[in-house]
Amino acid sequence: MKVATLFSPEAPRIGGAFVVVSDDLTTCQPADTASFQDALDRDDLCAVGEAAPFKIKDCAAPLPRAFQFLDASAYVNHVALVRQARGAEMPEHFWTDPLMYQGVSDSFLSPYQPIAGDPRWGIDFEAEVAVITHAIAQGATAEEAAAAIRYIVLMNDVSLRNLIPAELAKGFGFVQSKPPSSFSPVAVAAADCPGWDGRKLHGTMRIDLNGAPFGRVETGEDMTFDFGVLLAHAAKTRPLGAGTILGSGTISNRDQDGGPGKTIAEGGRGYACIAEQRMVETITSGAAKTPFLQPGDRVKIWMEDAQGNSIFGAIDQEVKALT
C-alpha cells in the first residue's frame, strides 16, 4: 500500500486529503480515515470510494507534521570521512553507539517546495531513507522496534553546513543549522516496499543536481546500524508514539577498494550530499572545490524498482534565496 497527503492551501502545515495511491502512482482513492496520523494511531487503513487521477505535484509530505522526528547517522563511513577531512581521530565507540538528534517536526517541506535560505549558510541536501512507526514501548529491543515499522519514505535532510560548527561547539546540538526536512510524495507500507528486508532498505538512491547525476548510492550497503537498532536506541529512555519518523542519516558508501568513494564522473557511486564530496576533495587534494547549493540550483532524489518505476515519487526542489 502507498499513501499520500494532498497539499491544502488553507492549512499547509496540516495537509489536506489523505489518500491511498496505486502502485504505479497514477490514481488514488480516499482513505477511510481523516489523516495519516489517525491511521497510524489506530494501526489500520483501507481505501474507500472511487479512484481519481493522482496529481503527484499536489502532494504535501506524507506526514505534514509529526509528534516526533529523529535523525541518525547510520552510515558511519560518513562520520569517519568528516573526522578524516579535518584531521581528527575517529572515536571507536562511534561504531557501536549511534549518533542521533531530534529535529524540526512541526512543519515538513513538501517534495516540491523550494529550499529557502541564505547561501552564506552553506545550504546542502542529504538524501536519506526514513521509517514511520507505530507506537514503540520504552526499552524495546531492536527486534520489537523493527516490528513497529509501518512505512518507508525518502527524505532530504536540509543542512546548513556553515552554521553547524558554531552550534556543535556549544555542546548542545542542532537548532539553526537543521531547518525543516522534505519527504517523498508517497510513503510505502513496509510489507509492500521493494527492497525492504525488515531492518534495511536495499536499492539505489538516485540524486541529481541541476539535471546531472550526483549520486547513485546503495542504501543497503555500509549501513552500520539498521533501523531496529536505531529505534531501540531512541526508545532506551522514552516511549516512541505512533507516527514517529526516524531518518537514517546521509547514505554513504565506501569505494570498492575501501577508499572514501569517487564521483560518478570518475566511475564511482557519487555521494548523497555535497559535504561528503567536499570532504573527499579535502582528503585527496587538500581543499574542497565543490560549492554548496546556490539560488537556482535544483536537487532531485528518487528510487526505482527493478522495472525502472519510481517507488516513492521524487523529491524535486529548487533553491531560492530568502526574500
Side-chain angles (χ1 to χ4, degrees):
M1 180 177 287
K2 299 184 178 184
V3 298
T5 298
L6 302 181
F7 187 78
S8 170
E10 293 77 22
R13 294 175 65 234
I14 299 173
F18 179 51
V19 296
V20 176
V21 182
S22 63
D23 285 344
D24 62 4
L25 308 183
T26 60
T27 63
C28 62
Q29 295 172 261
D32 66 341
T33 185
S35 69
F36 197 2
Q37 183 62 54
D38 289 341
L40 291 162
D41 284 337
R42 74 182 196 184
D43 205 21
D44 187 31
L45 175 65
C46 66
V48 295
E50 296 185 3
F54 178 53
K55 298 179 181 179
I56 199 166
K57 290 293 183 73
D58 289 346
C59 285
L63 266 178
R65 56 181 179 176
F67 291 119
Q68 180 154 231
F69 166 57
L70 302 163
D71 198 23
S73 192
Y75 298 83
V76 178
N77 178 59
H78 177 74
V79 183
L81 290 173
V82 172
R83 310 283 294 194
Q84 185 179 351
R86 68 172 193 247
E89 184 178 351
M90 177 75 167
E92 190 62 31
H93 69 85
F94 277 25
W95 294 100
T96 57
D97 188 22
L99 295 172
M100 190 175 293
Y101 76 91
Q102 193 161 21
V104 175
S105 65
D106 60 339
S107 58
F108 296 126
L109 300 180
S110 80
Y112 306 105
Q113 193 170 347
I115 301 169
D118 187 327
R120 294 173 297 179
W121 295 342
I123 305 168
D124 198 2
F125 59 87
E126 292 190 43
E128 305 186 15
V129 177
V131 297
I132 304 174
T133 75
H134 188 47
I136 299 174
Q138 179 180 336
T141 65
E143 291 74 20
E144 291 167 339
I149 295 170
R150 294 294 183 265
Y151 289 86
I152 318 299
V153 291
L154 305 185
M155 183 175 98
N156 177 12
D157 174 36
V158 179
S159 296
L160 305 176
R161 301 296 186 184
N162 294 340
L163 302 185
I164 288 175
E167 284 207 304
L168 292 185
K170 297 177 181 179
F172 217 57
F174 302 119
V175 178
Q176 293 177 338
S177 52
K178 289 290 187 176
S181 298
S182 56
F183 290 85
S184 53
V186 302
V188 182
D192 304 323
C193 187
W196 178 250
D197 69 3
R199 306 282 284 262
K200 297 181 181 180
L201 181 65
H202 298 268
T204 303
M205 181 80 82
R206 299 170 182 270
I207 305 105
D208 282 2
L209 178 58
N210 296 326
F214 188 90
R216 298 293 185 266
V217 291
E218 294 301 314
T219 60
E221 297 182 22
D222 302 304
M223 190 179 189
T224 309
F225 306 106
D226 65 43
F227 279 106
V229 171
L230 294 174
L231 288 165
H233 176 85
K236 179 177 180 179
T237 61
R238 68 177 78 176
L240 306 179
T244 291
I245 301 176
L246 172 65
S248 64
T250 307
I251 299 158
S252 179
N253 295 149
R254 298 196 72 82
D255 201 28
Q256 290 183 346
D257 62 4
K262 298 181 179 70
T263 65
I264 290 178
E266 296 170 323
R269 293 173 172 173
Y271 309 100
C273 67
I274 293 173
E276 185 154 322
Q277 180 161 326
R278 288 170 57 88
M279 286 182 277
V280 174
E281 291 167 349
T282 301
I283 292 167
T284 58
S285 66
K289 298 177 291 185
T290 304
F292 289 120
L293 295 173
Q294 301 296 313
D297 285 342
R298 180 173 290 276
V299 178
K300 183 179 179 182
I301 301 168
W302 78 105
M303 289 186 74
E304 298 175 358
D305 62 19
Q307 292 72 45
N309 302 308
S310 180
I311 301 171
F312 304 91
I315 300 171
D316 191 352
Q317 296 178 281
E318 183 179 354
V319 179
K320 292 192 174 181
L322 290 174
T323 56

